[in-house]
Amino acid sequence: MNQQLEQELLGSWQERQEFAEQMQPILGKLYRNRAIEISVYGRPLLGASAIDIIKAHRTVRLKEKQKLRLRESWPMLEALNKMELAPAHIDLGKLAYGYHYDPAYADVAIEDYLSDQLKDIVNVKDDQNPQDVVLYGFGRIGRLLARLLIERQGTNNKLRLKAIVVRGGKEGDLEKRASLLRRDSVHGPFNGSITIDIEKNAIKANGSYIQVIYANSPTEVDYNKYGIDQAIVVDNTGMWRDEEGLGQHLQSKGVKKVLLTAPGKGAIKNIVYGVNDKDILSSDTILSAASCTTNAITPVLKALDEKYVIESGHVETVHSYTNDQNLIDNFHKGDRRGRSAPLNMVITETGAATAVAKAYPQLEGKLTGSSIRVPTPNVSLAILNLHLGEATDKAAINEYLRDIALFSPLQHQINFTASKEIVSTDLVGTRAPSVVDSQATIVAGNRATLYVWYDNEFGYSCQVMKVLQHMSGLVYPTLPESLPTK
């Protein structure tokens, strides 16, 4: 390689890196202070490193005829930062691509273009009151929800984590709870600072003051004593899954609603956000966010059913082991789950296939399901074996799902990868509950097999957050809904 080419490559890289570094503080301020989340073709830039921002821009050329340069998106982000905007999800990549590569906008100023494309949120006053949130339980999902709530700290933060309720209270308990929040073997270190107030039983994290309350049942807690009122309690213990059990939270002073992070029983609505979130009513006091697997497969199944009509199918999940299994062989009330989780593949049952119908009734009675627990701590895989109402091919299904992931109302639920090398650990920390592995898709006539990855901890927690936001009245638009056209 000659010296001139080396200098050109280095100069190009440095330019991209400098633009990405300039973007970082603006991305953070827009999110924390104005509740505006920025992405590039569905890839969220919240907390992204400079390298992540560069990579997000590179993915655009895999989906479009032209690549998107950071020098093209940077002035658009600058302009967004100067505008008076209401909270929203804004895809910077789609806006920038439409502006630079649609000839219709050749003579239009960036400010005028953005004012037109974002007219629904320009100069709209955000008068939503903050919402108190309580986490009841502090296990795998509880701690990830805490991270997601804390990362929202800022002047326009509307969801405020006010308390965590756990059993215990013995000496050293608070320190251990804080340590588990600070360090995670799967998801890495907490992004920020955590200290504890031993005298007042509280955790201080990135400006959040979180009261730790010790109680053996919901009815023991008076939240008003801690300055908490009209709170939404997120129950992630799994101890109660029906209205009678979860209704105990509503008897506590200071509580107005309850959200369960497990499949609800009886008449409780099971919400898969993006699929049946329109079923959420302001009068609902108890809701369920369904299961991680139901959240992973239902959006993809809905998308396929709407185009091809699913006549029947079987869902097989290859699921990471969970806390309800034994580390070494020991008694367990469930079949096979007593055998060592880190050493065995364990065949077990899953209710996810039948649970799909609670969120998407069109598939009631059409699906069966089973599961294999495997010796990995996180990230699972759903294999969808489907009989469709019409014949198709691999290219057509993949193109359709790619477009769904980019431009449909399900763009926050379905992600899409064309990588030939992706493996489970690559998906740790993925915010979308479903990632379609297009390279693994198999189609023969009207029979299709799709492989859908999901971070059964973090991706699911992001879905729980969306239900929580909706219950709080925080429903933000995603703009633009598709590539802009004039």
Side-chain angles (χ1 to χ4, degrees):
M1 184 181 295
N2 61 48
Q3 188 173 4
Q4 181 180 352
L5 182 56
E6 287 182 357
Q7 290 298 320
E8 289 176 356
L9 287 173
L10 180 60
S12 174
W13 175 258
Q14 287 182 333
E15 179 193 66
R16 283 178 282 167
Q17 193 163 21
E18 288 172 3
F19 276 123
E21 289 168 349
Q22 291 179 81
M23 288 181 174
Q24 286 177 298
I26 294 179
L27 294 168
K29 288 179 181 178
L30 284 172
Y31 182 74
R32 290 190 302 272
N33 298 338
R34 298 162 68 183
I36 295 174
E37 299 185 41
I38 302 293
S39 61
V40 170
Y41 275 63
R43 292 189 62 166
L45 299 187
L46 176 63
S49 67
I51 302 302
D52 290 333
I53 295 172
I54 293 171
K55 287 182 177 179
H57 280 71
R58 289 187 63 184
T59 60
V60 175
R61 65 181 176 182
L62 300 177
K63 304 174 178 69
E64 305 291 355
K65 296 179 181 179
Q66 302 283 344
K67 63 182 179 181
L68 180 66
R69 299 171 177 84
L70 275 82
R71 75 168 78 102
E72 294 170 331
S73 60
W74 162 246
M76 196 150 291
L77 183 64
E78 276 191 306
L80 285 171
N81 191 39
K82 296 175 182 177
M83 298 174 70
E84 291 296 329
L85 302 173
H89 303 271
I90 297 177
D91 197 307
L92 178 67
K94 293 177 186 177
L95 286 173
Y97 185 86
Y99 179 74
H100 288 287
Y101 295 106
D102 186 338
Y105 297 104
D107 299 321
V108 178
I110 286 179
E111 293 77 10
D112 294 335
Y113 169 78
L114 290 176
S115 294
D116 177 59
Q117 297 300 324
L118 305 177
K119 57 182 177 294
D120 291 343
I121 61 170
V122 175
N123 297 323
V124 176
K125 185 178 181 181
D126 176 27
D127 55 2
Q128 178 73 32
N129 292 324
Q131 172 65 58
D132 289 352
V133 178
V134 173
L135 295 177
Y136 196 94
F138 206 48
R140 299 298 299 154
I141 300 303
R143 292 194 295 275
L144 289 176
L145 289 174
R147 288 188 174 202
L148 288 167
L149 286 161
I150 293 167
E151 77 177 9
R152 286 171 148 71
Q153 288 307 303
T155 57
N156 201 40
N157 173 41
K158 301 296 185 180
L159 290 176
R160 297 182 178 177
L161 177 56
K162 301 299 287 290
I164 296 163
V165 183
V166 291
R167 292 185 176 185
K170 295 181 180 179
E171 185 177 352
D173 184 275
L174 184 64
E175 290 91 334
K176 288 185 179 294
R177 304 283 181 184
S179 180
L180 285 168
L181 179 60
R182 185 181 293 117
R183 306 175 181 89
D184 192 284
S185 300
V186 172
H187 299 282
F190 175 81
N191 185 22
S193 171
I194 294 176
T195 58
I196 58 173
D197 186 334
I198 296 177
E199 183 179 347
K200 295 182 180 178
N201 280 334
I203 294 174
K204 293 181 284 186
N206 291 8
S208 294
Y209 187 88
I210 308 162
Q211 185 69 52
V212 178
I213 302 171
Y214 294 99
N216 292 318
S217 72
T219 54
E220 293 181 16
V221 186
D222 180 352
Y223 293 102
N224 288 158
K225 289 183 178 180
Y226 302 97
I228 301 169
D229 193 34
Q230 297 293 299
I232 297 178
V233 172
V234 183
D235 188 319
N236 45 83
T237 66
M239 294 178 64
W240 308 283
R241 293 169 56 189
D242 57 16
E243 288 184 335
E244 182 180 358
L246 293 167
Q248 298 177 78
H249 292 293
L250 298 175
Q251 299 175 32
S252 301
K253 291 181 179 179
V255 176
K256 71 172 181 179
K257 293 184 179 182
V258 182
L259 175 59
L260 171 65
T261 63
K265 295 181 178 180
I268 294 176
K269 295 178 184 177
N270 285 253
I271 303 299
V272 174
Y273 208 84
V275 175
N276 67 330
D277 47 278
K278 292 182 180 178
D279 292 344
I280 300 176
L281 303 176
S282 59
S283 58
D284 290 325
T285 56
I286 301 176
L287 290 175
S288 159
S291 72
C292 58
T293 301
T294 305
N295 274 271
I297 64 177
T298 307
V300 178
L301 290 169
K302 178 180 186 292
L304 290 170
D305 184 63
E306 288 179 340
K307 182 171 178 62
Y308 297 102
V309 182
I310 296 172
E311 295 183 341
S312 64
H314 178 78
V315 178
E316 186 78 37
T317 65
V318 183
H319 199 294
S320 295
Y321 60 74
T322 60
N323 274 336
D324 76 321
Q325 293 174 256
N326 292 332
L327 287 176
I328 58 175
D329 290 0
N330 207 342
F331 174 81
H332 194 293
K333 65 180 182 180
D335 297 339
R336 309 186 203 231
R337 293 197 186 193
R339 303 299 297 277
S340 173
L343 298 177
N344 294 289
M345 294 190 293
V346 179
I347 296 176
T348 186
E349 71 283 346
T350 177
T354 54
V356 167
K358 288 189 174 183
Y360 188 67
Q362 289 87 332
L363 293 181
E364 185 172 5
K366 293 185 177 183
L367 301 174
T368 58
S370 56
S371 180
I372 304 171
R373 297 288 178 91
V374 295
T376 56
N378 185 40
V379 180
S380 300
L381 178 66
I383 305 170
L384 311 180
N385 293 294
L386 307 172
H387 283 83
L388 306 176
E390 63 179 86
T392 184
D393 56 44
K394 177 177 178 177
I397 279 189
N398 281 342
E399 183 178 1
Y400 170 67
L401 289 175
R402 183 194 64 184
D403 288 344
I404 289 291
L406 287 173
F407 308 119
S408 82
L410 288 170
Q411 60 187 280
H412 296 298
Q413 281 67 48
I414 300 176
N415 207 336
F416 183 93
T417 177
S419 171
K420 296 180 180 180
E421 302 293 338
I422 199 166
V423 294
S424 61
T425 54
D426 297 324
L427 281 303
V428 174
T430 302
R431 291 180 180 251
S434 311
V435 182
V436 175
D437 192 327
S438 63
Q439 295 299 312
T441 300
I442 301 171
V443 181
N446 69 336
R447 293 182 292 114
T449 301
L450 289 100
Y451 290 75
V452 179
W453 296 99
Y454 57 110
D455 184 326
N456 48 278
E457 294 182 338
F458 196 75
Y460 173 67
S461 295
C462 290
Q463 281 288 90
V464 174
M465 284 294 297
K466 289 180 172 62
V467 179
L468 177 60
Q469 286 179 300
H470 197 125
M471 294 175 72
S472 305
L474 305 172
V475 182
Y476 301 146
T478 297
L479 300 170
E481 295 182 357
S482 61
L483 282 178
T485 56
K486 193 171 182 180

